[in-house]
């Protein structure tokens, strides 16, 4: 169709087409009452305007003007707010009724740094055709293949656009009106920039606030909280609470007056939730985990948090409610949610302190003091949580603007009230410590009591506050001194370390400036109290022996006299004391020493640094007094038996070794102490291979995991002394045992030694395959597993590739436990070995791709991007060769490989080859597009805009490529990036402006209630 045909014959058809499009849009939009539609305008292109546009484009003589001009028919959909525009664009209205011409669609929005920066025409211009279903209707048949441009704007943008259209009709004439016309255009743009765009955001804020108010009013009028107990399940109950929190809670005019009603309703809701079984949430895509009573408790306590400070009475009632809820907690998770709210209530809130000082802490301590003994015991965790917070010396809070959050920490203000509250808190903690049933509870109370000795972390405490803390500290030290004789050695050991730290930080050097006499006196009193505690506990010889033999927190006399000892000095001192203790053991006191040793061995610890000194003591005792240790062998007890390896190691070479060896043989016959016998081989000078193999065989028969684990570690750590012809089969026996049990923890035992000795080189290929297959079930290839794999990869890198192939198959098995990670996110030791197998890796990856192409990007593709974190020329060469050989047949695989490189410029040449090789309908082009716009992590308010602009800049060489298909693709892709940049700029501006209006201005506001 040329211009003349349009003007004479086709213009009425385009008018009718525009009317039809407008009618369809009007009906679809009005079907949803949530839209605020102002009007829909429609028009066909005026011939005068069309002729000018064709001339401007240089296509006045074109026979296909419908391809040159996209708005021969046009509609403008005008909404009142930005949100309505966004909602319409995200809806299915356009997609359900039309076929969208993405390539000709354009987003108009000024983007800084681009040619659109000074253009304030803001609109989404979508070019559409009737879809097949609508075009098939008789009344629409004549519109087949016709296009219409739909402009979507707000009322304000529409008003500006209409006026702008008139203003720009005025063309400058030489010698007349140039300055005035330029002034008009400048002012016109200023109106848009400084008035209309901000007004659009203001209108949106008003509408958003109104919607929140309307939603809250609906719930408020219905008395939503009253029906919480009657909800059919916890899913409905949780949803109702969530809506109440979002829409009602922030807008209550009298939150203090409503507190009691809300609180009672929340208690009822929690009680009902605890009686209700969890129900799944049904969706069209399958069932989702339902909301549990724990979820309801978390949300209910969160609502209480919002109201906790509306009045002092409300704070007290909130505490009582949380205490009540805690007593009924059915799970640890419920209790955790409640204690979190208790902590929030009891903390020194900066805003509350500014308003009323420690009124909340005073109330809470008084409430706890009012409990009887049974209540205090039942609510022990609640009381401890409160008292922990009360004794902290800082208040905290937050304030925020639309662009920043400020974290506030300030010292609490000293006062008589604070002194009284802290003293009462210490009273309660002393009571809780005395009534604690075990060391676990005592340690919790101990930590709270030590909080009373803490100074503000940032210093600057006023004299009165320092005096209060020093006096409290002295009291705490005196209390622990008074109960020291009743405490376990383990607890005394940690207390002495804590008080040593306090001693060093409290005493002042002789040349320190003088301080106020009351503070100096309090400081001196605290130092004296610490030294009194030290002297009391160290007068107990049993404790001194214990701390010499056990633990890494032990404090020795030289540390009180100067600075802390370095590790080597402490070891020298400790070893000297250990030798003294060994010398003290004799036949007369041997039984007493056995009891001491059993007491030391009974210490419960999972820290490897706890027992080495004790092991040294036992080994030295066995070496110097083997007859005494031999007398112990039949009465060790379970705990002390764990140190049998040190006894055997010490007795080697002594006159009593033959008897000890007979005892070992007897234990093997009885299948006793298999783990200890094997562990003894870990440290002996010469491994007894026959004994080792016999003990391992028995351990495998008995299913003794610990013993077999010891054997595996010995093979790795002592490969230098185990015969090469024996070590492979011994190690394989241990690994085969764990493989049969699907247990991969053996790698944790051997990783540090496996690559340092001869074990990897001693393994046959069959044994290596066994090791690798035994690691396939491991949930993730962490550091320890990688250290096991690396020595194998050094000589057998292809086996490691195949190993990961097996893990990828395992990952595809839905029966595998959750969180199974087939390939780690990065390699360290494996990387150089695997990177040298690029061609083999690609060959294997292509085979995996044929099996499960839909998962390749997250399986084999992931392995490739980990082995080659940067796209290398070698990798590019291999992939180009595939494309050259198989062309479009290899395109899908190559694109899936490249997906891991997020459209890096290094991959662009391969993408060009693919674009040039495949047909326009090939779905692989969609994957190319996704990769080319992939950004990775972005940051900042306009992070996506900047990322897309960077992508556009990287893409520019495509536009001048010598291949026509590549250029055609590039032009369409470049237009798409322009649309994405403009859309992201608008979204980012809207989010930023909405945040500004949420805070009203740039004034910081408190983050707490």
């Amino acid at each position: 169709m040329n211009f003349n045909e349009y003007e004479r014959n086709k213009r009425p058809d385009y008018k009718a087409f525009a009317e039809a499009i407008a009618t369809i849009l009007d009906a679809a939009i009005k079907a949803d009452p949530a839209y605020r539609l102002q009007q829909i305008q429609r028009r066909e292109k005026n011939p005068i305007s069309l002729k000018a546009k064709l001339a401007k484009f240089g296509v006045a003589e074109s026979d296909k003007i419908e391809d040159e001009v996209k708005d021969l028919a046009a509609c403008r959909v005008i909404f009142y707010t930005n949100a309505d525009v966004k909602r319409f664009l995200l809806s299915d209205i356009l997609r359900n009724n039309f076929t969208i011409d993405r390539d000709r669609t354009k987003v108009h929005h000024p983007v800084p740094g681009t040619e659109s920066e000074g253009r304030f025409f803001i609109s989404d211009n979508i070019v559409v055709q009737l879809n097949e279903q609508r075009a098939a209707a008789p009344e629409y048949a004549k519109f087949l293949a016709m296009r219409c441009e739909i402009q979507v704007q707000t009322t304000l943008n529409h008003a500006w656009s209409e006026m702008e259209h008139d203003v720009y009709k005025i063309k400058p004439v030489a010698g007349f009106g140039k300055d005035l016309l330029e002034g008009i255009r400048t002012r016109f743009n200023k109106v848009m920039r400084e008035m209309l765009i901000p007004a659009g955001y203001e209108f949106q804020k008003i509408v958003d606030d109104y919607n929140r108010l309307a939603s809250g009013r609906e719930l408020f009028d219905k008395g939503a909280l009253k029906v919480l107990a009657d909800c059919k399940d916890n899913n409905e109950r949780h949803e109702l609470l969530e809506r109440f929190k979002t829409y009602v809670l922030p807008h209550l005019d009298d939150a203090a007056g409503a507190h009691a009603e809300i609180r009672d309703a929340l208690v009822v809701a929690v009680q009902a939730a605890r009686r209700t079984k969890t129900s799944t949430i049904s969706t069209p895509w399958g069932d989702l985990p339902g909301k549990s009573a724990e979820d309801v408790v978390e949300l209910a306590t969160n609502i209480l948090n919002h109201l906790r400070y509306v009045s002092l009475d409300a704070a007290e009632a909130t505490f009582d409610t949380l205490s009540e809820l805690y007593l009924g907690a059915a799970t640890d998770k419920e209790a955790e949610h409640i204690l979190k709210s208790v902590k929030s209530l009891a903390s020194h809130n900066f805003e509350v302190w500014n308003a009323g000082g420690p009124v909340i802490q005073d109330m809470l301590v008084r409430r706890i003091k009012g409990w009887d003994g049974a209540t205090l015991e039942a609510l022990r965790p609640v009381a401890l949580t409160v008292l922990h917070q009360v004794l902290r010396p800082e208040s905290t809070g937050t304030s925020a603007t639309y662009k920043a959050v400020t974290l506030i920490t300030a010292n609490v203000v000293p006062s008589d009230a604070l002194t009284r509250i802290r003293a009462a808190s210490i009273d309660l903690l002393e009571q809780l410590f005395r009534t604690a049933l075990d060391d676990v509870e005592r340690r919790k109370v101990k930590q709270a009591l030590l909080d009373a000795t803490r100074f503000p972390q940032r210093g600057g405490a006023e004299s009165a506050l320092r005096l209060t803390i020093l006096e409290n500290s002295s009291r705490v030290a005196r209390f622990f001194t008074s109960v020291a004789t009743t405490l376990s050695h383990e607890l005394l050991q940690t207390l002495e370390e804590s008080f040593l730290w306090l001693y060093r930080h409290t005493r002042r050097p002789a040349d320190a400036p003088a301080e106020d006499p009351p503070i100096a006196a309090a400081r001196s009193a605290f130092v004296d109290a610490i030294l009194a505690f030290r002297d009391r506990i160290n007068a107990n010889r049993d404790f001194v022996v214990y701390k010499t033999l056990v633990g890494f927190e032990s404090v020795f006399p030289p540390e009180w006299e100067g600075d802390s000892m370095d590790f080597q000095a402490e070891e020298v001192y400790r070893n000297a004391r250990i030798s003294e203790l060994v010398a003290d053991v004799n036949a007369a006191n041997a039984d007493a020493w056995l009891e001491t040793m059993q007491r030391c061995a009974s210490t419960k610890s999972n820290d490897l640094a706890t027992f080495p000194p004790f092991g040294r003591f036992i080994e030295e005792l066995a070496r110097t007094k083997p007859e005494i240790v031999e007398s112990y062998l039949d009465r060790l007890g379970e705990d002390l038996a764990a140190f049998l390896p040190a006894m055997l190691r010490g007795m080697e070479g002594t006159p009593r070794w033959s008897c000890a060896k007979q005892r070992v043989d007897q234990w093997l016959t009885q299948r006793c102490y298999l783990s200890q016998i094997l562990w003894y081989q870990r440290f002996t000078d010469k491994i007894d291979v026959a004994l080792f193999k016999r003990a391992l065989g028995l351990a495998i028969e008995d299913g003794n995991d610990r013993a077999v684990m010891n054997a595996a570690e010995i093979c790795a750590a002592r490969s230098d002394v185990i015969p090469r012809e024996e070590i492979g089969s011994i190690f394989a026996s241990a690994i085969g045992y764990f493989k049969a049990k699907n247990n991969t923890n053996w790698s944790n035992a051997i990783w540090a030694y496996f690559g340092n000795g001869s074990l990897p080189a001693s393994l046959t290929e069959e044994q290596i395959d066994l090791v690798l297959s035994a690691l396939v079930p491991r949930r993730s290839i962490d550091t320890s597993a990688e250290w096991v794999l690396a020595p194998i990869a050094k000589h057998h890198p292809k086996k490691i590739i195949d190993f990961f192939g097996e893990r990828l198959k395992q990952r595809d098995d839905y029966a595998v436990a959750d969180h199974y990670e087939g390939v780690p996110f990065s390699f360290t030791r494996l990387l150089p070995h695997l990177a040298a197998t690029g061609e083999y890796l690609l060959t294997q990856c292509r085979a995996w791709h044929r099996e499960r192409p839909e998962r390749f990007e997250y399986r084999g593709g992931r392995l490739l991007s980990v082995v080659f974190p940067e796209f290398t020329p070698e990798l590019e060469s291999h992939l180009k060769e595939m494309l050259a050989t198989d062309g479009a047949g290899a395109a899908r695989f190559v694109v899936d490989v490249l997906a891991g490189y997020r459209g890096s410029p290094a991959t662009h040449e391969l993408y060009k080859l693919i674009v040039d090789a495949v047909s326009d309908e090939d779905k692989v082009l969609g994957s190319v597009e996704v990769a080319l716009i992939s950004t990775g992590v972005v940051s900042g308010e306009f992070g996506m805009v900047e990322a897309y602009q960077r992508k556009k800049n990287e893409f520019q060489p495509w536009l001048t490529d010598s291949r026509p298909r590549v250029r055609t693709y590039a032009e369409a892709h470049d237009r798409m990036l322009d649309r994405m940049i403009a859309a992201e700029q608008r979204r980012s501006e809207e989010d930023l402006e909405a945040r500004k209006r949420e805070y009203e201005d740039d004034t910081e506001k408190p983050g707490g209630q």
Side-chain angles (χ1 to χ4, degrees), residues 873-895:
E874 178 195 4
L875 191 56
E876 182 183 37
S877 175
H878 290 314
L879 293 173
K880 279 184 176 180
E881 184 178 343
M882 287 184 181
L883 286 172
T885 304
D886 296 340
R892 178 78 267 172
F893 171 68
V894 174
V895 165

Side-chain angles (χ1 to χ4, degrees), residues 749-803:
I750 73 166
W751 69 271
Y753 318 105
F754 186 67
N756 297 331
S758 61
L759 178 57
S762 301
L763 298 177
T764 66
E765 292 218 7
E766 183 180 354
Q767 290 164 350
I768 288 173
D769 291 340
L770 172 65
V771 172
L772 294 176
S773 63
L775 269 179
V776 168
R778 191 171 180 84
R779 181 163 289 186
S780 65
I781 301 303
D782 54 9
T783 300
S784 61
E786 190 177 352
W787 278 59
V788 173
L789 294 172
I792 298 175
K794 184 176 181 181
H795 300 289
H796 305 279
K798 293 181 179 179
K799 286 185 179 291
I800 303 300
I801 299 298
D802 295 339
F803 162 76

Side-chain angles (χ1 to χ4, degrees), residues 62 290 776 870:
S62 173
V776 168
E870 299 296 331

